[in-house]
Structure formats: C-alpha cells, structure tokens
Amino acid sequence: MYFCNVFALIDCNSFYASCERVFRPDLRNKPVVVLSNNDGCVIARSNEAKVLGIPMGAVAYQYKQLFVKHNVHVFSCNFALYGDMSNRVMNILSHYSPDVEIYSIDEAFLQFKGFENYDLNAYALEMSRKVNKWTGIPVCVGVAPTKALSKIANRIAKKFPERTKGVYVMDTEEKRIKALKWIKIEDVWGIGRKISDKLKLKKIYNAYQFTQLPPEWVKSEFSIVGLRLQRELKGIPTLELDEVKTKKAIATTRSFKNNLTNINDIKERISTYAALGAEKLRGQSTCANVILVFIQTNRHRQDQKQHYQKIIVKLPYPTNSSITISKYAKLGLQRIYKKGYAYKKGGVIMMGLVPENERQLNMFCDENPKHLNLMKTIDHLNNKLGHRNIRLASQAMGRTWKMRQEKLSPRYTTEINDIIQVK
DNA sequence: TCTGGGGTCCTAGGGCGA
DNA sequence: TCTGTCGCCCTAGGACCC
C-alpha cells in the first residue's frame, strides 16, 4: 500500500429494493422497484429493473403497463424498514474501523488509519461478506487515498462485479490515473448538471482532464468547492471524515394526496407536518427558533393557476413542543394562503436549531411547562403503539390525509404485528 | 387522476455598528 | 455631525448530494 491513510466508501446496492428482498427471497433475481411517497415516482430499482430501462425518477403511472408486462414487483416506500436495516449495516461497519461517517441511509465512509500492514482488499471483502451474511444486504466497497477517489473506486467495484467481487482498492498511481480517465466528468461526486455542462464546453470529458486544469481557473469558476474536489482527485486528502453532527434544519414536506383548496384542510396537513417535525426535533434533543411554512400548487399542471408562497415565522422562544410549533405554523399558513388556488404540496421546516438544554427562554414569554411532560408522554405512547395514534386535535383522525401507499410491505423489523412468521 | 423528500455548503449582497 | 470604509452577521439563492 503506498498510502498510510485511506478511506473506504461502502455503498449498499439498490438499497431500498434490497431491503424489500431480504424478507421476500422469492424476489431474488427478479425486477423490483420502490416508489416515493404517494406512489409517485420510482426511487429505487434492482439491477433487473434497470435492465428493463426503468429510469430513476420514472413517473409510476406512465410505467404501469411495463410493470405488468415484465412482472416487476412494485413496493411503496417503507422508511421504517429501511431505517432499521440501515442501522444494522452501519453497526457492523463500525466494527471494522473506529472512524466512521454515516453519509446517507445507504452509504458510509470508513477511515483506515494505521492499517499499513493490512491486506485491505481481503479486509474489505470480509467486511462486505459479513454485512451480506448478517443483514442480507449486498454492498460494494471502494478504497482509495481520498474520499472523492474512494467514491470512484466504489463505482468501479459496482460496475465490474465479476472482476472485483464488489471490492476495489485504488492503491497505485497507475490505477488512479486509469480510473480518472475512465470516469465521465458528469459521474464524478460533486459535479452536477450545471458544472459538467460548463466543463464540456471546455472539452473536459473525464475526471483526469479536470485534474489537469489550472487550479486558479477551477477556483474562479467553481469556487473553493471545485478546488477541493480537484485536489481530492489528484490524491491529496482534503476532505476529512465528518463527525456525527446534529442537523441544522429539519424539513417535513409532502405532496397532498388530492388538491386542497379549503384552508381548513390545508391547516390540518400543516399542523400534522409541524407535529412530525417537532417529534424529529425531540428525537435529536434540539429546539427550533424559527420555522418556515410553505404551500404550493401543482407545478406540473401549467394549465392551472400557479401559486407558491412561503413565510418565516419567528417563534417566541426555542421550542420542540408540537402544540406551540403547530400553533405558529397555522398562523403562518393563514398569512400565505390565498383563496381560489388548488394546493398540492406543503411543508414545515424547523430552523435555527439549538440544543434542548442550552435554549434561552425569553424572560416574559415562558413556555407552558406542562408541554414538556405531555410531549414525552405522546412520544412514549406513539413509540409503544406504532402508528402515531396520539395526535393533536387539529390533526385529522380520519382517512382523508392518508398517503397513497398501495404496495406497502410489512414493517418486518420494527412492528411487532408485522414480524415474519415461520409456519 | 397520478410527477419525492430531505439535506448540506458556498457566495453574493444588504444592513449595521465601530 | 456627516461620510466613508471595514468587518460581521444574516438571508436568499444556487449548486450539489442521496
């Protein structure tokens, strides 16, 4: 190994689809897709589904016939299941290095410091086998001297499964250069649509060409972010492993099942999102100082009158009480709602987050201390009962708000009534 | 009839006090 | 007292990620 400090990127293959398959072994080698909230778009595809030409983000109803024709197994998203499976995978990974950054629900960076005498290829292979054996989730591993290069190494592992067995270690200059020349510029981590379009105008088509550009030019065009990426691709470690950090904003936004015109219906939705957001705040022991409330019409229906409006509401004191946040969210909504529009989407975003134990209460405007205990009780009961049975009065109890989730799989791992039964 | 949701970081530009 | 300038803070918007 010519580097003494390396990064590994572990990425679960077709994560949501793989989670569904863990409990449905009959679906192995069969096309599986998972849909977004309200069963709107395709958000995950198994390899077999990719081969059928189903693109990421495909609008579900437009592919209905293809699903039937090729016997594609379609699932509504089941985040309770995916979150739990993710925890299991991350837990196993943490045994392979003390330095772990959970990058997303299905990805983690590991840093190997002082592993000079290790055969990293064998080590990563063992790690991927263990994850697969213990959770049923297949993963790929890319190992390289920087985070950006480990992303590329991971891509190689995924692209050539027979040759790599799902693990690729970029441990020589030759391998680095070969990989950079192989990867298209638009596939590099950190290069999106806008930047790749700009680079292609400059006749930059792969990552290697990008590394050859003058750093001053890269910085002036793409700011410090572009410059960092260029250094990373050259093999100079620039991005560090991020520590576990509390979130800076918590968003709860959803499309409505139907268009809503009546303010009372929208109020109920916004109140529910506010309560959900407050629950997330309590989950990470933080309070919000400010909330942002927005509503918008269906932007895909240009034949209809369009309206988008948002409002920032300053809370009188930092809080995570569902009651208080819901109240101010509804006040905000009243300010932005306009009669005569068919609203399709709305949301509440918690901002200005501070740790629960550090909040400074306003001298004259203290929160009702009963809220704290009440919220604890609500969280406890909801955790115990599942299904979020305890709600605020302003949140509807009926079916009207329910998401469209026609193909929802059971919550095998988190719901006692859904545990798989062996007969 | 149906078109996701949840984040981060950076920069530019304005307000404001020293 | 008025004006210019600098730095800090905040916000909006843009770009990216999964």
Side-chain angles (χ1 to χ4, degrees), chain A residues 84-104:
Chain A
D84 186 60
M85 293 303 292
S86 174
N87 287 340
R88 293 174 190 213
V89 171
M90 301 305 170
N91 194 7
I92 296 168
L93 296 180
S94 67
H95 290 97
Y96 284 83
S97 169
D99 303 307
V100 184
E101 175 191 342
I102 298 173
Y103 182 69
S104 72

Side-chain angles (χ1 to χ4, degrees), chain A residues 44-161:
Chain A
R45 310 154 295 157
S46 69
N47 277 336
E48 299 76 13
K50 288 176 194 166
V51 169
L52 290 173
I54 301 165
M56 193 63 165
V59 181
Y61 76 91
Q62 291 173 351
Y63 281 80
K64 222 168 186 172
Q65 284 187 325
L66 189 137
F67 292 160
V68 174
K69 187 176 166 197
H70 295 283
N71 202 17
V72 177
H73 293 79
V74 181
F75 290 90
S76 303
C77 56
N78 183 345
F79 284 105
L81 174 67
Y82 311 149
D84 186 60
M85 293 303 292
S86 174
N87 287 340
R88 293 174 190 213
V89 171
M90 301 305 170
N91 194 7
I92 296 168
L93 296 180
S94 67
H95 290 97
Y96 284 83
S97 169
D99 303 307
V100 184
E101 175 191 342
I102 298 173
Y103 182 69
S104 72
I105 194 165
D106 72 331
E107 270 180 61
F109 285 103
L110 259 58
Q111 194 168 7
F112 296 138
K113 282 189 244 174
F115 282 59
E116 291 86 0
N117 298 322
Y118 276 63
D119 176 349
L120 284 177
N121 194 65
Y123 193 66
L125 271 172
E126 189 210 308
M127 178 167 69
S128 93
R129 285 202 189 111
K130 185 158 279 181
V131 171
N132 191 259
K133 192 174 169 194
W134 287 13
T135 66
I137 303 288
V139 299
C140 281
V141 186
V143 180
T146 69
K147 286 172 92 176
L149 288 173
S150 72
K151 272 267 184 187
I152 297 177
N154 185 283
R155 207 180 171 90
I156 294 170
K158 216 166 230 176
K159 185 85 183 173
F160 307 103

